[in-house]
Amino acid sequence: QVQLVESGGGWAQPGGSLRLSCAAPGISFTEDSMSWVRQRPGKEIEWVSGIYSDGTGPFYSDAVRGRFVLSRDIGRSTLTLQMNSLRSEDTALYICAKVRPGGPLYEFDTRGQGTLVIVSS
C-alpha cells in the first residue's frame, strides 16, 4: 500500500522559510509524477507545484512561483518543497500527492495527511 508522509511544517514569520519533505516509500519517482497541493483555511485544495516522472518540470502555480522550489531525490523517494519569502496567505495544510497516471499534475490519486504551515507575525 502506497503511503505518503509529510514533515517539516510549523510556524514561520512573514518573509521566513520552511522546508517540507514527503517520504514516499514504494513509489518510484521515475514512474510516477508527484505534486504538492495545499488547502488554506476555508478554501478548496489548490495545486502548488509538481514534477513529471520523466523529470519535466518542476512547475509552479502563479501564487508560489519564484518563492518555492520543488526537488526530488529519486533514490530515497523523497519529495521536498523549499518555501521562501513566506506570506500569511501561504498558511495552509500542505499535502504531498501522487499524480494520477497519465493525468495532469493537478490530478492525484493518492495523498498524504498533510503538514500544517502557519505564517504569522
Side-chain angles (χ1 to χ4, degrees):
Q1 184 176 356
V2 173
Q3 272 193 318
L4 301 173
V5 181
E6 302 91 339
S7 61
W11 172 81
Q13 290 186 328
S17 298
L18 284 173
R19 186 178 181 88
L20 307 184
S21 292
C22 170
I27 290 180
S28 169
F29 285 177
T30 58
E31 296 179 2
D32 291 305
S33 302
M34 300 293 294
S35 282
W36 284 96
V37 299
R38 69 184 182 185
Q39 187 165 26
R40 293 185 283 176
K43 305 287 187 180
E44 295 191 353
I45 288 179
E46 63 176 307
W47 176 79
V48 173
S49 179
I51 184 168
Y52 287 102
S53 57
D54 65 359
T56 302
F59 298 95
Y60 303 93
S61 68
D62 290 343
V64 307
R65 187 178 298 111
R67 301 187 297 120
F68 291 11
V69 178
L70 182 147
S71 59
R72 65 179 186 173
D73 185 325
I74 294 173
R76 297 183 178 183
S77 293
T78 301
L79 194 70
T80 299
L81 187 68
Q82 176 67 42
M83 307 189 298
N84 303 316
S85 301
L86 284 164
R87 304 168 180 169
S88 57
E89 55 263 40
D90 294 319
T91 294
L93 182 69
Y94 284 76
I95 302 162
C96 177
K98 185 176 81 67
V99 176
R100 178 180 64 80
L105 292 175
Y106 54 83
E107 291 186 4
F108 53 91
D109 60 8
T110 305
R111 52 163 286 181
Q113 294 200 340
T115 184
L116 184 63
V117 170
I118 298 174
V119 183
S120 173
S121 56

